[in-house]
């Protein structure tokens, strides 16, 4: 990789930016392509199922019957902080500044990047190492740093591989879940001049050797933040690779990009959330490294940055905060458990969502951040099975939020006119016992006429989408009501 590696926007097969496609975004084409890709289906299914089963088994083993109480408590802590966010933000800013950090506030992605670029220019910074941060994906920071001549290198192993392979993350926690070791081996040969190997240990060593020198030379370290602690003005970074510690201690300047919703009131509250985060994300007791950093290096200290900057990013969050119906979506601690549990995410995979955040939480917050009219497929990309709600450590009722978004699409006329008419007819039918029974009778007759061998393989007209990927079982000859009448005695 050259010192000024070009970092073009990662494009999918349809020629559009994977995370920032042209809007309004149509999810179908990409979802179909990923569903048809047997390799991707295998890796993503294996990895998400493994993580999901691991989470269930581990939380049961550690928490037993108290798991639900702990989730409730964690949800309440986050909800309380959001309900009083102005208070905790002020407290955080006061304490962070007392510890010597500088706090900036960015209303949107453009402003957040501009603050960081200003710091880089003012301090004449040229080499940046960056740990994993979803917020910097949101603001699309790396290409902007590179555009002003700052070499910006992702140091999380997954993000590093995606960067050199000109790809984009497809999972909140496991960004390269859609890639296998062959793709990594090829990228290392092509970009790093390494010998071809598919051995994971050897691949990790190649990356480690390459990155170590970059850490030594870097003058700018960029991180995200899993939590901000209001009572101490600290940022908390949870990683498994130790790159977060390197990025935030070796370079002269540390800039942390953090969403304003990441606040927790105290260290005591933090401990509850830390107990849940790693268990839900990767089925670990804790992440291997949990850093709590308060201010830059003190006079007597050897390690640490001379300057520490916080960029507190809004970028649509206050709009969600202002809406009491959707506020709970901001409780998210980005553990990725809802993605692993979601049957739709497993089939379509992260890139099909056309945004930085995918899976059930992405289907909720992306339309809220970027407009329902731009992402109208996302609230419908769910079977509402409730697996995401069961998985969520902070008890965000994701299925309910998805239903609310569908309601808003109808009332805001985002839904197509013929669908609106269908829903209206459906609502009339469901409210009247007579219409429901007569409608049910004719529907059953029609579906049975369309079926062959017990299945409907091709539904007609506007219903054809239901049978593209699977066959619909034919309804029984007699309805349940008649059966019940005959058998209840
Ligand atoms: S919504 Fe819940 S389960 Fe999904 S990433 Fe956020 S915290 Fe984790």
């Amino acid at each position: 990789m050259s010192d000024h590696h070009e970092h073009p926007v990662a494009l999918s097969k349809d020629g559009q930016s994977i995370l920032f496609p042209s809007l309004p975004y149509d999810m179908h084409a990409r979802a179909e392509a990923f569903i048809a890709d047997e390799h991707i289906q295998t890796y993503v299914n294996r990895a998400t199922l493994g993580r999901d089963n691991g989470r269930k088994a581990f939380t049961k083993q550690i928490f037993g019957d108290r798991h639900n109480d702990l989730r409730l408590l964690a949800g309440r802590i986050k909800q309380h902080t959001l309900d009083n966010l102005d208070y905790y933000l002020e407290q955080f800013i006061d304490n962070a500044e007392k510890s010597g950090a500088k706090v900036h506030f960015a209303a949107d992605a453009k402003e957040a990047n501009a603050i960081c670029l200003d710091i880089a220019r003012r301090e004449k910074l040229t080499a940046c190492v960056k740990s994993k941060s979803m917020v910097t994906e949101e603001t699309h920071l790396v290409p902007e740093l590179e555009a002003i001549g700052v070499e910006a290198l992702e140091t999380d192993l997954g993000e590093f591989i995606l960067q050199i392979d000109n790809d984009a993350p497809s999972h909140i926690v496991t960004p390269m879940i859609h890639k296998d070791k062959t793709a990594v081996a090829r990228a290392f040969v092509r970009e790093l001049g390494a010998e071809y190997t598919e051995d994971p240990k050897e691949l990790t060593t190649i990356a480690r050797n390459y990155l170590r020198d970059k850490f030594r030379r870097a003058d700018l370290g960029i991180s995200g933040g899993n939590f901000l602690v209001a009572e101490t003005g600290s940022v908390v970074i949870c990683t498994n690779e130790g790159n977060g510690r390197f990025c935030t201690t070796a370079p002269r300047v540390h800039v942390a990009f953090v969403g304003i919703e990441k606040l927790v009131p105290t260290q005591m509250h933090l401990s509850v959330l830390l107990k849940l985060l790693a268990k839900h994300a990767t089925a670990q007791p804790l992440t291997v490294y949990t850093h709590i950093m308060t201010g830059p290096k003190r006079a007597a200290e050897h390690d640490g940055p001379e300057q520490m900057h916080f960029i507190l990013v809004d970028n649509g969050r206050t709009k969600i905060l202002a809406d009491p119906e959707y506020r709970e979506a901001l409780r998210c601690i980005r553990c990725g458990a809802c993605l692993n549990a979601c049957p739709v995410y497993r089939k379509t995979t992260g890139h099909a969502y056309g945004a930085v955040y995918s899976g059930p939480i992405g289907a909720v917050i992306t339309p809220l951040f970027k407009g329902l009219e731009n992402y109208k497929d996302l609230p419908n990309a769910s079977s509402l099975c409730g697996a995401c709600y069961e998985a969520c450590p902070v008890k965000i009722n994701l299925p309910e939020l998805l239903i609310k978004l569908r309601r808003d699409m109808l009332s805001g006329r985002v839904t197509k006119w013929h669908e609106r008419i269908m829903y209206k007819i459906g609502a009339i039918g469901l409210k009247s016992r007579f219409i429901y029974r007569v409608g049910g009778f004719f529907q059953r007759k029609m579906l049975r006429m369309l079926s062959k061998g017990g299945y409907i393989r091709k539904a007609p007209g506007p219903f054809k989408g239901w049978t593209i990927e699977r066959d619909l079982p034919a309804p029984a000859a007699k309805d349940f009501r008649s059966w019940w009448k005959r058998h209840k005695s």
Side-chain angles (χ1 to χ4, degrees), residues 378-392:
L378 264 50
N380 289 319
S382 167
S383 63
L384 302 177
C385 68
C388 51
Y389 182 36
E390 289 300 313
C392 181

Side-chain angles (χ1 to χ4, degrees), residues 236-254:
V236 184
I237 301 178
C238 305
T239 72
N240 277 324
E241 297 166 18
N243 63 310
R245 183 169 290 179
F246 258 135
C247 289
T248 53
T249 51
R252 187 158 63 79
V253 179
H254 169 208

Side-chain angles (χ1 to χ4, degrees), residues 55 172-173 277 280-281 328-329 331-341 358-362 365 387-398:
R55 168 187 62 80
I172 297 174
V173 173
L277 176 62
H280 283 75
E328 72 173 278
R331 286 188 209 161
C332 178
I333 57 172
R334 308 278 189 261
C335 71
C338 60
L339 281 66
N340 299 333
S358 55
I361 186 63
I365 59 174
C388 51
Y389 182 36
E390 289 300 313
C392 181
V394 285
K395 280 187 99 73
I396 300 173
N397 195 335
L398 292 156

